[in-house]
Amino acid sequence: MALAELRAEIAAAAAEATETVLLELGEPAWSVFEDALARRAWVVGIFPDAAAAARRWAELGPLLPSAPLGEPALRALADCDWRDSYKAHFQAWRFGRLHWVPVWERDRYGLPEGEVALWLDPGLAFGTGNHETTRLCCERLVGLAGPAPAGAVIDAGCGSGILALSAARLGFREVAAFDLDPEAVRVSEENAALNGLGGRVDFAVADLAGGLAGRTAAVVLANIQADVLLSSRAELLAAVAPGGTLALSGILAAERDAVRAAFAAAAPGWTVDSRVLGEWSDVALQRPAGAGAAGA
C-alpha cells in the first residue's frame, strides 16, 4: 500500500513549540524531525493518500506557532519504508505484567510466564505507548487491573486503540471505546485484529457526550487534552460506577493543579491523586462505593 508523506520545513527555533502543539492536539499522524547539526526542522505527517494529507495540513497549518518555510512537499511513500523507518526508534517496554512489543519481534520476544503482550505496529499508525500521556494511562490501567480484573472499561477518545486493547489483553471482559474520528476507529479495529482481539472491544464513532451516554464502568480512561477534559467533566464523572476510577491524561504538568481542582470540586468525597512524567501529568479520581452522582 502506498502512503502519502507531507513534509513542511519550519524554523529550527520553533521545533519545540511545534511539538508541544502537536502533543496538545493529540495528533499521532504528525511528528517533528530535527537536524541539530544543520539547524533545520520539519513537520512530517503520514496519511493514507494525498487527499487526506492535504486535508489534515489545511487543519494543522493555521495552528502552528510559526509559518512554515515555503510550501510543504508531498510524496508517495511505500508502506514498507514507513514501517522500517520506525523500527530503529521503537523498543519493547513493559509495566507490571503487560508488555508492549514491536510486532516484528513477535517470534523471538521472550515473554515471561504469566505475563501478556500487546503487539504494536507503527506502520499501521498504532501508538507505541512511548509518549508520557499514554504511558501514564497504561501504567494506571495495569495497576487497576490487578491479578483478576473486574468490571467494565470505557476508553473515551481511543485514538489508535492502545488503551482499550491493553484493557482487553489484561483480562477485562467488557471494554468499550470510541473516538470522534472514524479513521481512528478503523485503525483501532485493525490493531485489534493484529492482536487476535477482534470483537473483544466495542469500538464506535462518537463524541464524548454520545459515547458516554447511558454507560458506566469501573474504569473510565480519557487521554485527551485538558480543555476538553474540563468542559466534559460532568459527563466523565457520571460514567464512573460506584467504587470505580476515572483516569485522565493528556494534561501538561503546568495544567495539573487546575484540572485536579476542577474535578475535585465537581466530585466531593472522591479520592484524587496525580503523577507527573516529564512535562505531562495524569489525574485519577476514585468514586466511593455507593456514592451518589458527582456534581457539575
Side-chain angles (χ1 to χ4, degrees):
M1 178 179 71
L3 303 175
E5 178 195 78
L6 189 148
R7 178 180 294 257
E9 186 168 1
I10 58 174
E16 184 174 351
T18 301
E19 187 166 20
T20 298
V21 168
L22 298 181
L23 293 173
E24 289 179 340
L25 292 173
E27 288 283 5
W30 293 105
S31 301
V32 174
F33 291 92
E34 296 183 73
D35 185 333
L37 294 177
R39 296 185 179 179
R40 299 179 69 185
W42 298 263
V43 176
V44 180
I46 306 295
F47 302 96
D49 51 49
R55 183 174 64 254
R56 297 294 293 276
W57 174 251
E59 297 170 352
L60 177 66
L63 303 178
L64 295 177
S66 65
L69 306 178
E71 291 298 315
L74 184 66
R75 71 180 180 109
L77 183 67
D79 188 47
C80 59
D81 294 338
W82 166 238
R83 293 168 188 256
D84 290 345
S85 70
Y86 273 79
K87 290 185 179 181
H89 303 288
F90 174 32
Q91 303 295 322
W93 68 284
R94 63 172 291 190
F95 185 79
R97 62 187 179 93
L98 182 56
H99 300 237
W100 293 264
V101 187
V103 69
W104 54 86
E105 294 184 10
R106 192 171 199 157
D107 293 337
R108 63 179 182 271
Y109 188 78
L111 190 65
E113 185 177 353
E115 301 187 0
V116 292
L118 197 66
W119 310 105
L120 310 180
D121 187 346
L124 294 174
F126 194 108
T128 64
N130 286 332
H131 190 264
E132 290 93 333
T133 59
T134 308
R135 189 174 291 247
L136 285 164
C137 265
C138 287
E139 292 180 359
R140 185 78 67 175
L141 179 63
V142 172
L144 292 169
V153 174
I154 297 173
D155 181 9
C158 61
S160 60
I162 185 171
L163 297 177
L165 295 174
S166 293
R169 184 65 87 210
L170 286 167
F172 286 97
R173 302 311 305 170
E174 184 180 343
V175 184
F178 60 87
D179 200 287
L180 186 60
D181 183 358
E183 179 66 11
V185 172
R186 185 191 67 78
V187 170
S188 294
E189 290 174 339
E190 284 188 356
N191 293 321
L194 175 69
N195 280 275
L197 295 171
R200 282 279 290 107
V201 177
D202 177 17
F203 287 110
V205 177
D207 60 12
L208 272 170
L212 294 173
R215 280 180 165 159
T216 59
V219 180
V220 179
L221 306 166
N223 183 13
I224 309 172
Q225 63 195 70
D227 60 333
V228 177
L229 295 174
L230 289 170
S231 65
S232 302
R233 60 187 180 275
E235 292 89 345
L236 288 164
L237 290 165
V240 182
T245 298
L246 171 62
L248 309 171
S249 191
I251 306 163
L252 285 165
E255 302 169 326
R256 178 183 63 160
D257 291 346
V259 173
R260 178 171 178 155
F263 273 86
W270 293 36
T271 302
V272 185
D273 73 276
S274 60
R275 299 170 300 156
V276 173
L277 184 60
E279 297 181 353
W280 298 88
S281 72
D282 71 352
V283 174
L285 299 97
Q286 183 174 10
R287 180 176 178 177

